[in-house]
């Protein structure tokens, strides 16, 4: 049986690299200790929290897609230097750690994967030690810095993976684009939230750059580039990756409102409290503006406030009644179908096509 934090549809060997990714990350953190130790006890403690956060779980979706891109473009698990490619793929988990740590601060989230978020943990330590100043401000500052460290170390791990000069040169533009896109998407997210832009177009643009590009599209592209894939296969992988990545985020939008906290590890309705301008909310507002102005006013006044569980339940019912959930589900299905069509028409190896097909269904139908 798969661990509870992983989609049950992820393919098995040679595509199931979760334990190998964890091993590569442990090895990387071990090698960093000589740099960390001289800085002192408090930095070492903070780095230990980062290591725990990275190794605690997560779906390992990004390294798995990168690995699949490499295999699909001609990589072989028994080839010399395979462990170097795996380390390059595993470095994506450090970009993910940076994104999650900073996202939790931006959203003021209190839990992640069933544990306190890092900034909350740092604030608790501040209070327990009786330090001066505001514990919450300290927690946020420490979280920002440790998130920055994760991003810096992602670079270190990728560049130190020794995948070879030619492979590295092919992969570098992809690596650079991915980091820029995810940060641009994150900025767009907070701009849209602050401006109150509830349009569907803005929500999808955020999904495209904040999530889809660095979750599926660019990892596949990265792995394929390392393997030396031709332009046609890279194009097919990017089409597949963009569509599945957006579908992945749309599923996440649904879980952010309707997910079971015992399964997701986060409080239910957090996206409503945080005022996230998701496609789900955009569809609900579009429908309400057209036929139920009172419902539209209710949504706009409630989203982004300190909602009770009863308030969240009422908003859930309203969103369902407006047809937004059904519309998002249809969009997920349409994107998945289009992605699979592009995948199966590509020159990727047959095993990779089967694995990516299974992964597409796993990440778009998940309940956590």
């Amino acid at each position: 049986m798969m661990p509870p934090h992983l989609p049950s549809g992820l393919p098995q060997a040679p595509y199931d690299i979760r334990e190998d990714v964890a091993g590569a990350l442990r090895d990387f953190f071990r090698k960093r200790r000589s740099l960390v130790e001289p800085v002192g006890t408090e930095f070492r403690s903070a780095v230990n929290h980062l290591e725990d956060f990275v190794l605690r779980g997560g779906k390992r979706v990004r390294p798995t897609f990168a690995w699949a891109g490499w295999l699909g473009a001609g990589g072989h698990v028994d080839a010399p230097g395979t462990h170097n490619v795996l380390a390059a793929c595993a470095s994506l988990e450090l970009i993910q750690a940076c994104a999650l740590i900073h996202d939790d601060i931006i959203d003021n989230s209190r839990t992640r994967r069933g544990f306190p978020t890092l900034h909350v943990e740092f604030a608790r330590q501040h209070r327990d030690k009786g330090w001066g100043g505001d514990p919450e401000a300290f927690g946020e500052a420490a979280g920002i810095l440790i998130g920055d460290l994760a991003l810096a170390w992602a670079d270190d791990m990728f560049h130190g993976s020794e995948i070879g000069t030619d492979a590295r040169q092919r992969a570098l533009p992809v690596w650079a684009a991915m980091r820029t896109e995810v940060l641009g998407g994150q900025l767009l997210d907070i701009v849209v939230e602050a401006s109150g832009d509830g349009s569907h177009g803005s929500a999808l643009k955020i999904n495209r750059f904040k999530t889809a590009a660095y979750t599926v599209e660019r990892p596949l592209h990265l792995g394929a580039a390392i393997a030396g894939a031709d332009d046609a296969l890279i194009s097919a992988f990017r089409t597949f990756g963009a569509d599945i990545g957006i579908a992945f985020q749309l599923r996440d939008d649904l879980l952010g409102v309707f997910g079971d906290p015992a399964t997701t590890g986060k409080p239910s309705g957090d996206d409503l409290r945080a005022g996230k301008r998701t496609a789900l909310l955009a569809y609900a507002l579009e429908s309400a503006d057209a036929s139920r102005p009172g419902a539209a006013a209710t949504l706009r006044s409630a989203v982004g406030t300190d909602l009770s569980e009863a308030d969240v339940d009422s908003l859930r019912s309203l969103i369902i009644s407006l047809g937004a959930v059904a519309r998002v589900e249809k969009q997920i299905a349409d994107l998945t179908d289009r992605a699979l069509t592009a995948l199966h028409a590509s020159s990727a190896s047959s095993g990779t096509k089967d694995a990516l097909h299974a992964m597409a269904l796993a990440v778009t139908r998940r309940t956590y």
Side-chain angles (χ1 to χ4, degrees):
M1 179 178 292
M2 295 230 178
H5 59 273
L6 293 163
S8 60
L10 284 180
Q12 300 303 305
Y15 297 89
D16 183 3
I17 58 167
R18 291 165 295 168
E19 289 303 320
D20 299 299
V21 167
L25 289 165
R26 287 190 192 96
D27 187 54
F28 176 82
F29 277 102
R30 179 182 59 78
K31 291 176 179 177
R32 296 286 101 175
R33 287 174 191 160
S34 63
L35 293 175
V36 172
E37 288 292 335
V39 182
T41 302
E42 296 303 334
F43 186 51
R44 182 171 63 248
S45 174
V47 169
N48 287 341
H49 281 298
L50 173 62
E51 182 173 3
D52 289 343
F53 181 85
V54 171
L55 294 175
R56 184 175 291 145
K59 305 172 188 70
R60 310 301 187 209
V61 167
R62 292 154 190 85
T64 302
F65 275 116
W67 183 253
W70 180 71
L71 289 177
H76 297 283
V77 294
D78 55 354
T82 295
H83 65 286
N84 297 328
V85 175
L86 193 135
C89 295
S91 67
L92 292 168
E93 284 298 291
L94 290 171
I95 295 183
Q96 169 70 343
C98 167
L100 293 179
I101 292 166
H102 286 172
D103 211 36
D104 286 339
I105 295 170
I106 291 167
D107 294 342
N108 195 29
S109 297
R110 312 303 291 175
T111 61
R112 168 72 65 179
R113 299 169 183 161
F115 291 85
T117 51
L118 280 196
H119 68 282
V120 169
E121 177 59 27
F122 289 134
R124 182 196 64 76
Q125 289 184 5
H126 182 285
R127 283 191 295 271
D128 289 350
K129 294 180 179 182
W131 289 346
D134 179 6
E136 303 305 322
F138 173 85
E140 290 184 6
I144 290 168
L145 291 170
I146 291 303
D148 289 348
L149 181 66
L151 184 60
W153 279 4
D155 259 357
D156 290 351
M157 189 173 184
F158 176 76
H159 289 295
S161 61
E162 299 181 354
I163 54 176
T165 302
D166 290 345
R168 184 171 172 273
Q169 288 303 115
R170 291 192 298 266
L172 275 177
V174 188
W175 181 259
M178 176 178 59
R179 291 177 305 153
T180 300
E181 287 161 354
V182 69
L183 293 172
Q186 181 67 278
L187 181 64
L188 180 61
D189 190 20
I190 64 173
V191 168
V192 165
E193 184 178 325
S195 66
D197 181 357
S199 69
H200 175 245
S202 291
L204 284 183
K205 192 172 184 181
I206 293 168
N207 289 352
R208 172 71 177 79
F209 290 108
K210 183 183 173 184
T211 300
Y214 101 108
T215 299
V216 187
E217 179 187 354
R218 291 302 189 183
L220 270 174
H221 188 182
L222 187 75
I226 291 171
D230 61 30
D231 290 344
L233 180 55
I234 286 175
S235 178
F237 274 164
R238 291 192 64 187
T239 297
F240 170 88
D243 285 346
I244 292 300
I246 292 172
F248 174 95
Q249 182 57 49
L250 290 172
R251 177 61 61 200
D252 213 49
D253 293 346
L254 289 172
L255 293 174
V257 175
F258 297 96
D260 179 359
T263 305
T264 64
K266 295 194 70 174
S268 186
D270 251 16
D271 281 3
L272 295 174
R273 295 185 180 94
K276 303 297 288 184
R277 299 293 166 171
T278 64
L280 176 68
L281 180 61
Y283 284 144
L285 286 170
E286 184 179 300
S287 175
D289 284 337
S291 59
R292 296 169 60 183
T298 296
L299 281 171
R300 287 192 170 93
S301 64
V303 169
T305 65
D306 187 16
L307 302 168
S308 68
E309 287 301 318
D311 294 332
V312 170
D313 284 340
S314 294
L315 289 177
R316 285 194 192 106
S317 297
L318 180 57
I319 290 168
I320 292 171
S321 73
L322 289 166
V325 173
R327 194 170 172 185
V328 169
E329 290 286 7
K330 183 179 186 305
Q331 189 171 13
I332 290 172
D334 290 345
L335 285 165
T336 303
D337 287 345
R338 189 169 69 185
L340 293 176
T341 297
L343 171 67
H344 289 294
S346 77
S347 63
S349 64
S350 59
T352 296
K353 288 180 181 180
D354 291 342
L356 288 175
H357 189 125
M359 291 163 66
L361 298 184
V363 300
T364 58
R365 296 178 180 179
R366 74 193 194 284
T367 57
Y368 43 89

